[in-house]
Amino acid sequence: MSGLQTIWPPGTECVARYNFAGTTEQDLPLCKGDVLTIIGVTKDPNWYKAKNSVGQEGTIPANYVQKREGVKSGGKLSLMPWFHGKITRDQAERLLYPPETGLFLVRESTNYPGDYTLCVSCDGKVEHYRIIYLNGKLSIDEEEYFENLMQLVEHYTKDADGLCTRLIKPKLMEGTVAAQDEFSKSGWAISRKELKLIQSIGKGEFGDVMVGDYRGTKVAVKCIKHDATANAFIAEASVMTRLRHNNLVQLLGVVMEETGSLFIVTEYMAKGSLVDYLRSRGRSVIGGDCLLKFSLDVCEAMEYLEDNNFVHRDLAARNVLVSEDNIAKVSDFGLTKEASSTQDTAKLPVKWTSPEALREKKFSTKSDVWSYGILLWEIYSFGRVPYPRIPLKDVVPRVEKGYKMDAPDGCPPAVYEIMKLCWTLDPVARPSFRVLREKMEHIRTSELHL
């Protein structure tokens, strides 16, 4: 990058691309990978004034940093853009035409369901190699075994190892973009060398969750190993690159390793999930002011999502985490979509999901508002499961007839009124998160004056 194409406004986040020791006292030394915030431009437009994550300020050379942006999901992000799914042998050969040695794709095997086929163009013709799926591992020659397709492709990219040629150029599936390139380009790629994994703290839907150390900071790391879940995970990470709020769990970066492992690195939330926090401490430890603050924290996060046209779709106390200093932050953006997209309802939690979302797959900020009402009930009942004593199959029919849960013991009437507003059957009549936040703040100020 020579000179400056555009001048970045104050508040822009950027990442150091190189080390910079500084030449004067005014300079801010950089290590490759440092995240910085631009404060302003200097008299020389090739230099910015910036501050680093620990608050030190100084000047930095503009061409040493890369602007950090939300990952665009214009095309379909894929960790395996060379995977074409169910296509025939003939279709694969047509896709690899005109022949170019080393051009390749992977498809599902037509003759051996459950296996794959690696198709490689070589010396003017296409070779098809069966990838055998054996005891959870993949192999072409039954000598080398791989955890997943990403690992296998990576191996043969480095070395032909018995194939007619090494894999040189992937034939991308139409409409897909390589996720690795997009995350690097947007400044979110983290080097594996800088991440130390310390211990497992739980299992998520996609893989293990671990405590790690990234450049001296304690972090949470989601580790994914399977092809199928990796792409869903990339969708979650790309959403997180576009969101920034004090009550949302912050993404720090993504490691996409050649070994086919994927790590999503986020801030570490020392006190775990809100539901566990409420259950383990209970009424004797947590006062009403604390419950109200958690409720407001979540509401502010949801107002931010509402303003930015995102629908969470899975809001519940289990998906809210609590930091060391007792700040509640919404996490788990696995189902979060821009408001315009549709969603399959296979994995939806019935007790937290609004009737119209369950029945007609109609998701909106207003369906999130319904879930927020359930979350408030969870907070004020110290983590009880909603709709106690009602069999799961009866919940939806009763709710659609107008049933609303009773107030939890000790819940302030004003908070219970808010829950009931959230559970209005007509989504249009439910309040927005902005209105809910104003109501919660009003309750908070009136309690402070008591």
Side-chain angles (χ1 to χ4, degrees):
M1 172 177 156
S2 56
L4 270 181
Q5 275 78 13
T6 52
I7 289 180
W8 299 336
T12 301
E13 250 195 350
C14 56
V15 183
R17 296 162 63 199
Y18 316 103
N19 295 334
F20 169 63
T23 49
T24 71
E25 279 184 13
Q26 279 77 45
D27 292 344
L28 180 63
L30 303 176
C31 289
K32 185 179 174 183
D34 283 355
V35 176
L36 305 134
T37 307
I38 300 298
I39 297 171
V41 76
T42 63
K43 287 194 180 72
D44 178 346
N46 294 311
W47 290 76
Y48 279 117
K49 187 161 188 227
K51 73 172 172 191
N52 62 18
S53 56
V54 291
Q56 295 165 316
E57 298 185 2
T59 50
I60 58 167
N63 57 352
Y64 274 50
V65 290
Q66 165 188 7
K67 187 175 179 183
R68 193 177 232 194
E69 298 180 276
V71 172
K72 308 278 188 297
S73 55
K76 190 173 186 310
L77 282 179
S78 175
L79 287 161
M80 306 185 292
W82 33 258
F83 180 62
H84 289 247
K86 274 189 173 64
I87 59 168
T88 64
R89 186 186 179 99
D90 288 349
Q91 285 172 312
E93 292 187 357
R94 282 201 296 277
L95 285 166
L96 296 175
Y97 187 88
E100 182 183 338
T101 293
L103 185 67
F104 73 94
L105 61 83
V106 178
R107 61 184 171 89
E108 289 180 31
S109 171
T110 37
N111 298 340
Y112 302 95
D115 289 353
Y116 300 103
T117 307
L118 172 63
C119 311
V120 192
S121 181
C122 186
D123 298 333
K125 61 181 193 296
V126 175
E127 300 288 348
H128 299 262
Y129 296 92
R130 180 181 169 194
I131 302 172
I132 304 162
Y133 190 69
L134 202 65
N135 300 330
K137 300 269 173 109
L138 301 171
S139 180
I140 287 178
D141 54 12
E142 296 195 46
E143 285 176 23
E144 286 269 7
Y145 284 89
F146 304 94
E147 294 280 342
N148 54 37
L149 288 172
M150 290 182 279
Q151 250 177 43
L152 180 140
V153 164
E154 184 63 33
H155 173 79
Y156 290 106
T157 306
K158 294 196 168 88
D159 185 351
D161 196 13
L163 303 185
C164 58
T165 170
R166 75 179 182 85
L167 308 180
I168 297 167
K169 182 179 171 188
K171 174 68 184 176
L172 303 190
M173 186 173 169
E174 199 176 332
T176 60
V177 285
Q180 292 88 330
D181 298 347
E182 291 301 309
F183 278 84
S184 294
K185 227 165 46 190
S186 307
W188 292 96
I190 282 179
S191 160
R192 175 71 182 89
K193 294 186 192 77
E194 296 195 285
L195 181 66
K196 282 204 284 285
L197 300 177
I198 299 167
Q199 70 183 73
S200 176
I201 48 172
K203 286 214 178 304
E205 188 186 334
F206 298 104
D208 291 345
V209 182
M210 302 195 68
V211 176
D213 179 288
Y214 174 60
R215 311 182 71 184
T217 301
K218 203 173 189 181
V219 292
V221 186
K222 288 183 178 179
C223 315
I224 326 307
K225 288 195 175 66
H226 306 292
D227 293 325
T229 50
N231 279 336
F233 223 76
I234 276 301
E236 171 169 354
S238 73
V239 166
M240 291 180 78
T241 65
R242 290 178 277 163
L243 304 173
R244 184 165 272 83
H245 188 275
N246 191 42
N247 296 113
L248 294 175
V249 172
Q250 181 59 49
L251 177 73
L252 301 176
V254 177
V255 178
M256 294 178 188
E257 278 307 286
E258 285 147 2
T259 57
S261 290
L262 165 71
F263 302 109
I264 293 192
V265 184
T266 63
E267 62 179 312
Y268 175 66
M269 302 291 282
K271 294 184 177 175
S273 82
L274 178 59
V275 73
D276 292 340
Y277 183 83
L278 293 164
R279 285 173 186 170
S280 60
R281 287 161 182 81
R283 290 173 198 278
S284 55
V285 178
I286 306 173
D289 53 341
C290 186
L291 298 179
L292 200 52
K293 185 185 171 300
F294 286 152
S295 306
L296 248 169
D297 284 349
V298 174
C299 198
E300 289 186 11
M302 296 309 296
E303 183 184 2
Y304 170 83
L305 291 182
E306 174 178 82
D307 287 346
N308 287 279
N309 208 24
F310 280 95
V311 180
H312 189 284
R313 301 176 188 230
D314 197 10
L315 183 61
R318 62 182 171 276
N319 291 335
V320 175
L321 300 177
V322 183
S323 70
E324 182 60 61
D325 49 359
N326 266 19
I327 296 172
K329 303 192 183 203
V330 174
S331 78
D332 280 281
F333 299 96
L335 293 177
T336 303
K337 297 279 192 301
E338 291 188 56
S340 55
S341 65
T342 56
Q343 166 78 33
D344 68 80
T345 51
K347 293 195 299 203
L348 292 171
V350 168
K351 291 184 173 187
W352 284 264
T353 306
S354 69
E356 76 279 1
L358 287 171
R359 196 178 50 242
E360 301 156 48
K361 302 188 182 181
K362 281 191 177 161
F363 286 89
S364 64
T365 291
K366 295 303 178 78
S367 56
D368 277 350
V369 166
W370 179 284
S371 307
Y372 178 71
I374 304 288
L375 179 134
L376 278 182
W377 190 92
E378 288 184 278
I379 289 175
Y380 279 87
S381 64
F382 292 86
R384 285 185 72 188
V385 176
Y387 302 100
R389 295 181 297 283
I390 298 179
L392 189 59
K393 65 176 177 35
D394 297 341
V395 170
V396 178
R398 289 192 61 177
V399 163
E400 290 192 318
K401 289 196 182 89
Y403 173 78
K404 292 180 169 69
M405 285 187 283
D406 293 335
D409 288 348
C411 173
V415 174
Y416 182 54
E417 286 306 314
I418 288 177
M419 289 179 204
K420 289 194 292 189
L421 279 176
C422 295
W423 302 330
T424 305
L425 282 174
D426 177 4
V428 180
R430 286 174 214 151
S432 66
F433 280 109
R434 201 181 125 229
V435 167
L436 288 169
R437 176 186 51 78
E438 287 166 356
K439 286 179 181 296
M440 296 302 291
E441 281 179 342
H442 181 71
I443 294 171
R444 196 176 185 189
T445 48
S446 52
E447 287 210 348
L448 288 173
H449 294 307
L450 287 178

